[in-house]
Structure formats: C-alpha cells, structure tokens
C-alpha cells in the first residue's frame, strides 16, 4: 500500500509551516507516498510548497466573512468553484486522508472530502479556532489542536508540528547547542559570548516592536548586550535611522535584517526574544526553551493573547499589550532582565515544560493509524 495524503492550508506562515512539517515527516517515513497540497496562488504556500519539493494544486481563494458584508453576495458562487477545484484534485489523487490546517483553502477541501467520503483530519494551531476548522470539526474523523484550551468537539491536544530544524534543535545536547551558538555568531556577525536580544514581528514584521526596541537601543546596548532585529520586509529604514544615531561602538552590536531564513540560528544565538504571539512562534519558543516577551497582535479575534497565556502562566515568558509597549517600558524592563542570569534560566526551564518537540512525529503516528498505513 502506497500512502496518499492531501494537505490543505495556506495564506500565512502559521498555516503553511505546520503543513510542511507534517508533509516532510510523511515523506521521511514513506518516500514513495503521494503527497499533494491544496493552496492559493496568492498565499505564502505558492512559494514555500514548491521550494520544499511538494506538488501544489491551486484552488480559488474563498474568504469567509466574520460579519455581514458585500462578500456574502459572492460567497456561494466562489465556494462552489473552490469545492469543484478541490473535488477534481481528490478524484485524480484518490487520497487516503485529507488533512486541513485552516485558512482559505481548508473549507472547500473539507466539503469536497465529505462529498467523496474521504476521511478528514484537522489541525488547529491557535487557541481560538478559525471559521474553517470550526466547520471541519463537525464531520472530521480526527480533530487535533495545539492548545488544551481550544474549544472544538472531540479535540485532542497534540502540540504544533514544528519545522524539522527547530524540532531537532529542541532535543539537541548542550554541546550541540553550544556549537550552534558559535555557528550563529559567525553567521550573523555577532559575539556568541554576549547576551543577545532577538526582536521579531514575524514574516510581516511589527512596527510597534521596531519603534519600541530601536528607541530604547542605547539602554540595552549599554548593559553589555547585543541586538539581532528582524524588522519585516520594507520596515527596516526607521530602525536603521535610530541605529545610525548611536555611537559606533554601540551601533556595531545592533544587527538589522528585514527577513530571517535561518530562525534556527536566530534562536540559537539569543538569550531573550521579544515577539508577537502567533501559534508557531509560541510553540517554537516553548520547545526550545527560549525566554520571551510576547506582544500579542492587537487586531483579530484575540487568539495571540490566548496562544501565549500557557507559557506566561508557566513562568516561561512575560506578556505586554501592544498599546503599553514603548521605549520607556523596554528601558525599564529588558536590560535588567537580560542581566538576570538566574531568572532567564528559570524562564528557560519553565518554557520547556509547555513545549511539544515531538508533535510532528506524534501527528504522523495518528495519521498512519487512521489510514492504516504500514508502520
């Protein structure tokens, strides 16, 4: 029996990265498996899925409006076309399972699979589920969630599928981690021996984080630390202007990049991270045991605050509202924390109690059992 699976999800890294983690683990275990991905031509998956060597089948983007709007008028026709496109892929591939990760393409995937009688598995990464997975959970054979608090019928908390490099790093020996920190220092041009603050607003960046940290840079650098700052695409100019105002000996310890392809090295380099609280970020930080300051995205349905809460409650992270984040808050909080080695060590240990570094393997175990693939 040759395993066959169709994965659906896209739009943002929060949907695409878990999908690719599962696809990669299925491919590792079953090199001959048929693995196809449903996605849109506009989402991040249009680039990342082919880069990872998987077949991407395009379906029309179908936003599900949360409130009455003009989009409701075009929704039935758009949804019919998207379901028909997903149906065609499934008729061609004949997958054993359809697994969805939420996002625009998951709704038509769930509906087409239901029509064809193909078992459905869903994975919801956020503490507060999205509309697509709320729908899919009604008729899915297996409902997997990242967080215990996620309210979906029949949900099983399994953690978040992590990228292979991050999952491997999470279970590395202290010697291997020390070597990776040296590699990170060389890669970024920073000292592996200085306390390092990582700042990242995710793939799109976060202007409020950029302004607050760059505005407080002198106090952090004067404490002896260094900063690795991922600004987001086209968001580096303001940060670089602030860095240019610093004395050269301080500015040399503030590294600015727009986008980060090697987050494994960024995590290895840092002693503390200031970041948003997307599910992927929270779960990577927990698995790796990186002390964090979470600044949840202030828009949306509040899921980022819920994502971060278990790690904050365990003592592995702090949380500050976006509206309260300022250079003054940074100056009063971050330099002292970065100088407090015992506190950072306690936060590292606490974070690991919340992490699930083996989530990807566990999820594929469940898929294998459901589809009766050879073990």
């Amino acid at each position: 029996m040759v395993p066959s699976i169709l994965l659906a999800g896209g739009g943002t890294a929060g949907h695409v990265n878990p999908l690719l983690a599962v696809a990669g683990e299925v491919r590792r275990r079953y090199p001959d498996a048929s693995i196809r991905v449903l996605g849109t031509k506009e989402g991040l998956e249009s680039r990342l899925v082919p880069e990872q060597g998987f077949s991407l089948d395009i379906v029309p983007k179908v936003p599900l409006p949360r409130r009455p709007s003009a989009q409701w008028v075009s929704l039935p026709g758009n949804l019919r076309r998207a379901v028909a496109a997903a149906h065609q892929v499934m008729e061609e591939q004949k997958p054993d399972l359809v697994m969805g990760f939420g996002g625009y393409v998951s709704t038509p995937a769930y509906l087409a699979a239901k029509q064809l009688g193909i078992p459905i598995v869903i994975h919801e990464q956020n503490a507060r589920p999205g509309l697509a997975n709320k729908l899919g959970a009604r008729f899915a054979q297996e409902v997997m969630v990242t967080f215990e608090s996620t309210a979906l019928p029949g949900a099983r908390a399994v953690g978040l599928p992590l990228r292979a490099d991050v999952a491997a790093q999470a279970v590395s020996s202290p010697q291997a981690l020390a070597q990776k920190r040296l590699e990170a220092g060389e890669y970024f041009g920073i000292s592996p021996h200085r306390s390092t603050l990582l700042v990242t607003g995710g793939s799109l960046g976060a202007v409020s984080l950029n302004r607050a940290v760059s505005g407080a840079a002198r106090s952090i650098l004067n404490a002896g630390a260094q900063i690795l700052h991922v600004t987001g695409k086209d968001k580096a100019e303001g940060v670089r202007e602030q860095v240019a105002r610093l004395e050269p000996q301080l500015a040399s310890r503030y590294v600015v990049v727009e986008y980060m392809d090697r987050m494994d090295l960024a995590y290895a380099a840092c002693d503390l991270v200031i970041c948003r609280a997307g599910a992927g970020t929270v779960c990577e930080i927990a698995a790796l045991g990186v002390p964090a300051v979470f600044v949840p995205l202030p828009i949306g349905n509040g899921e980022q605050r819920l994502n971060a809460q278990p790690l904050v409650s365990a003592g592995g992270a702090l949380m500050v509202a976006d509206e309260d984040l300022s250079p003054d808050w940074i100056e009063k909080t971050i330099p002292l924390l970065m100088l407090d080695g015992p506190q950072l060590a306690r936060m590292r240990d606490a974070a690991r109690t919340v992490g699930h570094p083996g989530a990807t393997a566990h999820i594929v175990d469940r898929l294998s059992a459901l589809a009766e693939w050879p073990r």
Side-chain angles (χ1 to χ4, degrees):
M1 173 186 183
V2 177
S4 178
I5 187 168
L6 180 63
L7 303 168
T12 67
H15 294 124
V16 180
N17 285 336
L19 182 155
L20 288 173
V22 170
E25 178 65 9
V26 172
R27 182 167 61 184
R28 187 189 70 79
R29 293 192 195 187
Y30 307 103
D32 297 329
S34 170
I35 305 169
R36 292 172 70 166
V37 178
L38 284 181
T40 67
K41 64 182 179 181
E42 302 92 351
L44 198 59
E45 67 275 15
S46 64
R47 176 174 65 87
L48 294 182
V49 169
E51 281 181 0
Q52 294 296 315
F54 296 106
S55 173
L56 179 67
D57 293 283
I58 300 297
V59 296
K61 181 177 176 179
V62 187
L64 296 180
R66 291 183 178 274
R67 298 177 182 83
S69 70
Q71 287 182 314
W72 280 107
V73 177
S74 57
L75 178 62
N78 291 340
L79 187 57
R80 274 196 303 273
R81 286 187 287 275
V83 171
H87 197 290
Q88 182 176 343
V89 173
M90 293 176 200
E91 288 276 26
E92 181 182 311
Q93 185 193 16
K94 297 181 170 51
D96 306 317
L97 297 170
V98 170
M99 183 173 187
F101 293 82
Y104 295 132
V105 299
S106 290
T107 298
Y110 297 148
L111 294 174
K114 186 174 185 293
Q115 290 173 0
L116 293 169
I118 300 170
I120 297 166
V121 176
I122 75 168
H123 186 279
E124 173 57 55
Q125 73 269 31
N126 286 307
R128 180 170 286 163
L131 294 177
N133 280 347
K134 282 182 179 179
L135 171 67
R138 297 179 183 178
F139 40 82
Q141 277 64 45
E142 184 94 27
V143 178
M144 303 185 194
V145 296
T146 299
F147 301 103
E148 293 278 358
S149 61
T150 303
L152 285 175
R156 176 195 301 267
V158 297
L160 187 78
L162 299 176
R163 293 174 293 179
D165 55 354
V166 173
Q169 190 166 317
V171 295
S172 293
S173 67
Q175 294 81 5
L177 291 175
Q179 181 59 42
K180 191 137 193 178
R181 187 173 176 112
L182 292 174
E183 181 186 349
E186 184 174 343
Y187 185 85
F188 296 119
I190 59 178
S191 169
H193 308 297
R194 280 189 184 273
S195 184
T196 304
L197 174 67
L198 171 65
V199 185
T200 173
S203 57
L204 298 178
V207 172
S208 58
L209 272 67
N210 293 348
R211 287 174 178 165
V213 174
S214 62
R218 180 171 277 103
S219 63
I220 299 169
L221 299 168
N222 277 333
Q226 58 195 356
I227 302 171
L228 176 58
H229 194 144
V230 188
T231 64
K233 190 174 186 300
D234 299 325
K235 294 183 173 71
E237 184 177 353
V239 175
R240 290 194 171 114
E241 287 176 357
Q242 290 279 25
V243 174
R245 297 190 181 107
L246 298 169
E247 296 85 347
Q249 68 270 25
L250 295 182
S252 66
R253 288 192 268 118
Y254 198 132
V255 176
V256 181
V257 295
E258 289 196 2
Y259 185 77
M260 180 63 67
D261 284 321
R262 293 297 307 272
M263 278 305 296
D264 58 320
L265 290 180
Y267 287 134
C270 78
D271 300 276
L272 179 70
V273 58
I274 299 178
C275 56
R276 290 299 194 201
T281 299
V282 171
C283 291
E284 289 179 350
I285 283 170
L288 293 168
V290 178
V293 175
F294 290 119
V295 189
L297 190 69
I299 59 175
N301 63 1
E303 72 271 11
Q304 287 206 356
R305 176 171 287 276
L306 295 175
N307 292 345
Q309 194 58 58
L311 192 48
V312 174
S313 297
L318 305 178
M319 184 154 53
V320 57
D322 191 83
E323 63 191 33
D324 296 329
L325 186 72
S326 65
D328 185 59
W329 189 95
I330 295 287
E331 288 178 357
K332 290 177 179 177
T333 309
I334 299 305
L336 288 175
L337 180 56
M338 296 197 71
L339 291 171
D340 192 343
Q343 175 63 14
L344 290 176
R346 287 191 291 270
M347 291 175 74
R348 280 193 290 272
D349 291 341
R352 290 192 183 100
T353 68
V354 181
H356 294 273
T360 310
H362 178 62
I363 288 168
V364 177
D365 286 344
R366 297 295 307 161
L367 298 178
S368 298
L370 183 61
E372 299 182 344
W373 293 337
R375 300 293 292 274

